Amino acid sequence: NDGPFVILEVSDTGCGMTSEAKKHLFEPFFTTKGQGMGTGLGLSMVYGIVKQSAGEIEIDSEPGEGTTFRIFLPRTRSEKDAAPDKSPAAAVKGAETILVAEDEDALRVLLVSVLKKLGYRVLEARHGADALRVAEAWEYPIDLLVTDVVMPEMGGLELAEKLAIARPGIRVLYVSGYSNANVAELENGKEGFTLLQKPVTSELLSRKVREALDQRAPADGVPVLRAD
């Protein structure tokens, strides 16, 4: 890309990465850590944010030599040269109440932060069972459930079904890093089940949340937003 750019460089003295690991580094759920030590979502989220900002990432790493990341972001000289604002402040806003159920701490914090900046009242839960407890303790309406599909203790599919009984008319937006094929297996072939795929940008999140909230409230059953 043409410059000028601002460069953010971050280095460590860790074990480094092989060429094969670098090929898959930004893929959702790819991790070199042991089971239970990481989810592989952090760098895929960084990649999505940098790309959304028209930036690039370079990686220098060799086994035993540590790793250096260089993030290139377009430099803005003045307001006249500034790119159109795509921050949550410029996105579609609202004032409804949203329950976010997500077991990945970093992603949950990001989702909650973006939605609050958009003006929504946000309740948060670490998994499905926690979300049911939060919903039961909340005396007021909950307009939308934003939930991961695969979570410990109770997944998003079961959570949505239970909440639809306790709170008829609640809308649901599913978010997942799994492919549609994987989720189709989880859903046992239910037709019309689609997802908002991770990594999720703030702009896409704001638009899909607003679309879900603007849907007609269902008389029964669990509504599913058909995301692109």
Side-chain angles (χ1 to χ4, degrees):
N1 292 344
D2 296 331
F5 283 83
V6 174
I7 303 175
L8 174 63
E9 183 173 297
V10 180
S11 300
D12 65 31
T13 56
C15 60
M17 289 181 285
T18 64
S19 297
E20 185 64 22
K22 285 188 285 187
K23 290 180 183 178
H24 304 283
L25 188 61
F26 298 116
E27 296 176 5
F29 295 101
F30 174 79
T31 179
T32 58
K33 295 181 180 179
Q35 187 174 4
M37 300 295 293
T39 61
L41 283 173
L43 285 176
S44 68
M45 291 169 60
V46 169
Y47 182 83
I49 292 170
V50 171
K51 285 297 184 180
Q52 182 190 11
S53 303
E56 297 290 343
I57 303 180
E58 288 185 356
I59 308 164
D60 288 334
S61 184
E62 296 294 337
E65 299 294 330
T67 301
T68 296
F69 287 88
R70 295 184 188 89
I71 299 177
F72 297 80
L73 296 173
R75 180 179 178 182
T76 300
R77 294 179 180 271
S78 66
E79 289 186 14
K80 181 179 179 180
D81 299 325
D85 186 5
K86 294 185 178 180
S87 67
V92 183
K93 298 185 177 183
E96 292 91 341
T97 298
I98 299 175
L99 172 58
V100 174
E102 169 60 60
D103 63 301
E104 174 66 27
D105 291 341
L107 180 55
R108 187 177 66 254
V109 169
L110 177 63
L111 292 173
V112 170
S113 175
V114 170
L115 292 172
K116 283 184 175 180
K117 288 179 180 178
L118 291 168
Y120 297 106
R121 178 184 289 110
V122 184
L123 310 174
E124 56 181 300
R126 295 171 292 117
H127 46 68
D130 189 31
L132 287 180
R133 289 192 290 268
V134 171
E136 184 178 1
W138 184 254
E139 300 177 358
Y140 307 100
I142 298 177
D143 302 289
L144 176 69
L145 168 66
V146 176
T147 180
D148 196 354
V149 173
V150 180
M151 297 183 290
E153 296 198 31
M154 181 186 298
L157 307 177
E158 183 180 355
L159 167 62
E161 291 176 357
K162 290 182 179 297
L163 273 183
I165 296 173
R167 292 177 174 267
I170 190 171
R171 299 162 180 81
V172 181
L173 173 57
Y174 295 104
V175 183
S176 178
Y178 288 89
S179 69
N180 282 348
N182 295 135
V183 176
E185 294 178 5
L186 291 171
E187 269 288 86
N188 295 320
K190 180 187 291 186
E191 294 183 3
F193 185 82
T194 55
L195 295 166
L196 183 57
Q197 294 280 358
K198 299 176 184 177
V200 179
T201 66
S202 59
E203 182 182 15
L204 181 60
L205 175 65
S206 68
R207 179 164 57 87
K208 290 301 182 182
V209 163
R210 192 64 258 165
E211 288 180 13
L213 287 166
D214 289 342
Q215 290 184 102
R216 184 175 179 180
D220 51 48
V222 179
V224 177
L225 175 62
R226 297 176 180 275
D228 296 331

